[in-house]
Amino acid sequence: MRVLVVGGAGYIGSHTVYELIRDGHEVVVMDNLSTGSKDMIHEQATLFEGDVTVPTDVNQVFEEGPFDVVMHFAAKIVVPESVQDPLLYYHNNVEGVRVLLDAMRHHHTKRIVFSSTAAVYGEANGVCDESSPTVPINPYGETKLACEKMIRWVSKAEGFTYVIFRYFNVAGADASGKIGLLHDRITHLIPVTIQAALGMRKHLSVYGNDYPTEDGTCIRDYIHVTDLALAHVLGAKHLLDGGASSVMNLGSNKGFSVLDVANEVNNVMPLQVVMTERRPGDPAVLVASNEKAQKILGWTPTRTLSDMITSDLAFRKAHMTSS
C-alpha cells in the first residue's frame, strides 16, 4: 500500500514509517519539521516539507498521490503548553485535521488512521475502555476529542473509513538505535527517569507513595513505541481490507507503578529517588484496556518495561556521545 504519513518526522510517526517500510509499503512523509527531524526519517521514505494547516501545502502533497491510507501524527502534545496557549493547539491540532480531511475529500482518499490520546478520558480512574466517558481536562485532550468527532462526521458525509487510536504513555526506541525520543521538553516518566539516572536531572521526584496500590505509588499505562507503530500498520491494513471504522485503545491492560519504573531503571544504572507530596488530581490507577484492539486487529503489545527502558537508554547514550 501507499501511505501518506503526516507528522512522520516526529517520535511516533517516524517509528511507524520504519515499520511500514519494513512491511514492504511505500511511504510519503509530510512534516514541517517544527518538532520532528530529517534524521528520524527512513532513507526509503519520501519527504515533503509542508504544514498540515496550510491548504496549498496539503493539496500539493496529495498531487503526489494517489494514497491508499493517510496517517496523522502532526499534533502538538505538551499539556502545560496547551493550557498556556489553547489557540495554538486548536489551530494546529483541529484546523490541521480539517484541512487534511478537506484535501482527502477533494483527492478521493477515503481511509485515515488517526493518532489520538487517552487524555480524552480526563480524570478517569482505573481501567478505561472505549465506552468510558470522554471528559478532557485540558485543551490538548479537548482538541484531540474535537478531531475524533470531526473525523466521524466527515466519514459519515463522505464515506470515509477510519481507525482512531487512543493511548497513554509511549516510551522506548527502535531496535536499530537510529531513531528515538529527542524532545527537550520530556515529561513522560520513563525518559525522565532515564535522564535522572544519566545525570541530566538531579533526581527522580515521586509524587506520593500512599496511594491504594501495591507499593503506594501511582500506576500508569506504558507502551513501547514499536508496538504502537505496529498497531498503526495493522490499522491501515484493516481499512485497506475493507474493515469497518473503529475507535480503539492501545494499552497494557495492567500498567506499571512509578516505583516499578524506578526500580527497573535502577537495575541498569544507579538512580536517586526523592519522595514528595502528591500532586492534585492524580488518580491512583490509570490504564487503557486493549481488548478491542486484540479482537479486531489481533494486536497485543509484546515488548516489556525492560525493553522500553533499555532501548531508550541505548538511544539516549548514543545521542549524548554523538552530540
Side-chain angles (χ1 to χ4, degrees):
M1 68 188 159
R2 195 159 190 262
V3 186
L4 172 62
V5 181
V6 182
Y11 177 46
I12 299 171
S14 64
H15 284 78
T16 303
V17 169
Y18 264 63
E19 295 307 328
L20 283 165
I21 289 173
R22 285 168 177 156
D23 203 43
H25 306 293
E26 184 180 354
V27 179
V28 174
V29 169
M30 179 182 182
D31 204 297
N32 65 5
L33 303 178
S34 60
T35 56
S37 169
K38 286 183 180 180
D39 294 338
M40 298 294 140
I41 300 174
H42 196 288
E43 60 185 10
Q44 293 179 28
T46 300
L47 171 63
F48 179 90
E49 289 190 45
D51 193 315
V52 72
T53 66
V54 179
T56 51
D57 285 0
V58 178
N59 280 291
Q60 189 175 348
V61 77
F62 271 93
E63 295 295 335
E64 304 296 320
F67 298 106
D68 297 303
V69 183
V70 175
M71 294 185 176
H72 182 282
F73 297 97
K76 291 186 176 296
I77 63 169
V78 180
V79 170
E81 182 183 59
S82 79
V83 175
Q84 295 164 6
D85 194 351
L87 288 177
L88 173 67
Y89 273 63
Y90 273 90
H91 176 71
N92 184 84
N93 294 2
V94 181
E95 175 64 6
V97 171
R98 187 202 66 79
V99 171
L100 181 64
L101 292 172
D102 191 41
M104 289 176 62
R105 174 178 62 174
H106 285 298
H107 293 272
H108 310 291
T109 304
K110 293 183 176 287
R111 304 178 190 94
I112 183 168
V113 177
F114 181 69
S115 175
S116 188
T117 173
V120 300
Y121 297 123
E123 291 182 319
N125 195 1
V127 179
C128 299
D129 64 24
E130 293 79 4
S131 64
S132 298
T134 49
V135 282
I137 59 170
N138 52 61
Y140 166 61
E142 287 281 9
T143 58
K144 285 290 195 174
L145 185 59
C147 291
E148 288 190 13
K149 291 179 178 180
M150 181 168 26
I151 290 168
R152 288 170 176 162
W153 284 115
V154 173
S155 296
K156 285 185 178 181
E158 302 294 336
F160 289 6
T161 54
Y162 60 82
V163 169
I164 294 170
F165 287 125
R166 296 171 176 167
Y167 42 88
F168 286 107
N169 304 296
V170 187
D174 187 73
S176 69
K178 293 181 179 179
I179 56 173
L181 180 62
L182 277 179
H183 295 307
D184 294 330
R185 291 180 295 175
I186 290 174
T187 57
H188 287 174
L189 177 63
I190 290 176
V192 163
T193 306
I194 290 169
Q195 284 184 331
L198 289 170
M200 301 168 70
R201 296 171 183 258
K202 291 183 179 179
H203 56 258
L204 172 69
S205 296
V206 176
Y207 299 101
N209 61 351
D210 57 350
Y211 287 91
T213 61
E214 186 172 340
D215 63 23
T217 63
C218 291
I219 292 174
R220 294 292 182 267
D221 207 315
Y222 302 95
I223 182 172
H224 196 292
V225 65
T226 298
D227 282 328
L228 193 68
L230 289 167
H232 284 77
V233 177
L234 290 173
K237 289 181 174 181
H238 167 77
L239 296 180
L240 200 64
D241 290 341
S245 295
S246 188
V247 178
M248 302 179 215
N249 287 342
L250 298 176
S252 66
N253 275 350
K254 59 172 185 171
F256 303 97
S257 75
V258 176
L259 285 183
D260 284 336
V261 174
N263 291 334
E264 194 70 45
V265 171
N266 194 60
N267 288 337
V268 180
M269 58 193 311
L271 172 70
Q272 183 179 359
V273 175
V274 174
M275 294 293 178
T276 186
E277 295 181 357
R278 288 189 185 194
R279 294 180 300 192
D282 272 351
V285 179
L286 196 53
V287 175
S289 166
N290 64 23
E291 292 179 9
K292 190 174 181 182
Q294 287 187 44
K295 181 178 179 181
I296 295 175
L297 301 180
W299 176 88
T300 186
T302 61
R303 289 157 184 83
T304 65
L305 178 61
S306 177
D307 293 331
M308 297 180 217
I309 289 167
T310 54
S311 62
D312 183 279
L313 181 59
F315 175 77
R316 207 160 296 283
K317 278 184 171 179
H319 179 70
M320 288 171 65
T321 302
S322 62
S323 59

